[in-house]
Amino acid sequence: LVYCEAARYESPPVWNPCYNIHIIPNRTETYETGPALLDWVERSNGHAIPDDHTLVEVNQDSILLRPIDALTHQIVKTGIGVAQKAPLNLGWYFNELDIINPSKCVQGCAETAQANSGIGYPRAFTLRDWRMLAPLWTDATRAIKRKYKAKGKNVPGDTDQISFRMATLYSNLTIVTTSLISVTNPNGDDEDEAWPLAGLQARDDPQSLAKQAESLRGRDPPL
């Protein structure tokens, strides 16, 4: 999913012929995954993918430890998804309690929040479950943004994570978490990247990272 305001934007080439790039239109909120996913499942390739197929959400900066096909095949089915385990942080729930609707919680709000506050990404669900989550995620994203803008405050940088967890309160999904999918920082918070654990310095040395990216242009993808 790529957001761009340029009218004649040309998407970059992709390495795998099975991949495609969905350009998110200007009407969709910038950089927010929930609204972008909703646009994709309703108006793009996602609309045609069968309900029982698995979709994996992978951020562009995720460092995968292994191919995740085996995990998804073993675990994912309708009503059950899998996600990378993130540091447990229940603070979001208490911060956003004023906009959480208890009547919409499928189970107890606090209990579900506790269970799902360690959900990170990548995460995988069937298309049927993503179609159910997408509007809930979008509504939660917009509710958070409205709240902070009304108060004249900056929208939290981890709104994507907060709104996703909020959306799970209104679903009956079981989400299995594992540390086997990607590199994460077990002692960090939601915004801490795990690049240093892999010997990289994405935050500390962006120029070095840019040079690495430039050196890879035109090459075959790494195995």
Side-chain angles (χ1 to χ4, degrees):
L1 301 172
V2 179
Y3 179 88
C4 186
E5 295 181 348
R8 297 183 179 180
Y9 176 75
E10 294 184 8
S11 61
V14 292
W15 287 325
N16 191 311
C18 295
Y19 297 164
N20 75 292
I21 293 177
H22 175 55
I23 308 301
I24 302 167
N26 292 346
R27 65 177 179 275
T28 308
E29 291 88 335
T30 311
Y31 305 126
E32 304 293 353
T33 310
L37 177 68
L38 183 62
D39 188 80
W40 182 77
V41 298
E42 288 187 345
R43 299 182 178 88
S44 186
N45 291 23
H47 180 71
I49 298 176
D51 278 350
D52 62 348
H53 283 215
T54 297
L55 173 70
V56 183
E57 177 206 354
V58 183
N59 272 32
Q60 72 276 9
D61 57 356
S62 294
I63 306 172
L64 300 182
L65 293 170
R66 56 180 51 78
I68 58 179
D69 300 47
L71 277 174
T72 59
H73 289 160
Q74 291 173 15
I75 298 173
V76 177
K77 59 184 178 181
T78 300
I80 301 177
V82 64
Q84 173 69 25
K85 183 182 294 183
L88 186 65
N89 181 358
L90 197 55
W92 71 269
Y93 175 71
F94 297 105
N95 290 338
E96 312 305 337
L97 199 55
D98 55 335
I99 57 173
I100 291 173
N101 186 348
S103 66
K104 292 176 61 179
C105 292
V106 176
Q107 302 178 31
C109 293
E111 293 84 350
T112 306
Q114 177 70 38
N116 293 345
S117 286
I119 296 172
Y121 51 78
R123 42 201 170 212
F125 300 95
T126 64
L127 260 293
R128 180 176 180 177
D129 288 337
W130 277 120
R131 290 186 177 105
M132 177 270 296
L133 275 171
L136 297 175
W137 194 358
T138 299
D139 289 346
T141 299
R142 291 170 178 167
I144 292 170
K145 294 175 77 171
R146 283 196 303 268
K147 168 186 168 178
Y148 283 89
K149 287 181 178 179
K151 292 183 175 183
K153 297 182 178 180
N154 292 329
V155 178
D158 56 349
T159 293
D160 252 5
Q161 284 284 59
I162 296 171
S163 55
F164 178 85
R165 292 168 183 173
M166 190 183 301
T168 67
L169 302 180
Y170 307 142
S171 76
N172 59 353
L173 290 175
T174 297
I175 304 173
V176 179
T177 57
T178 174
S179 59
L180 300 176
I181 302 176
S182 66
V183 179
T184 55
N185 185 351
N187 300 314
D189 58 32
D190 279 352
E191 295 191 57
D192 277 346
E193 300 289 358
W195 292 91
L197 300 180
L200 301 173
Q201 299 177 344
R203 261 190 185 175
D204 302 330
D205 191 5
Q207 290 184 339
S208 174
L209 186 67
K211 289 180 180 178
Q212 292 178 41
E214 186 63 32
S215 69
L216 287 171
R217 291 185 189 278
R219 296 187 187 178
D220 292 333
L223 299 176

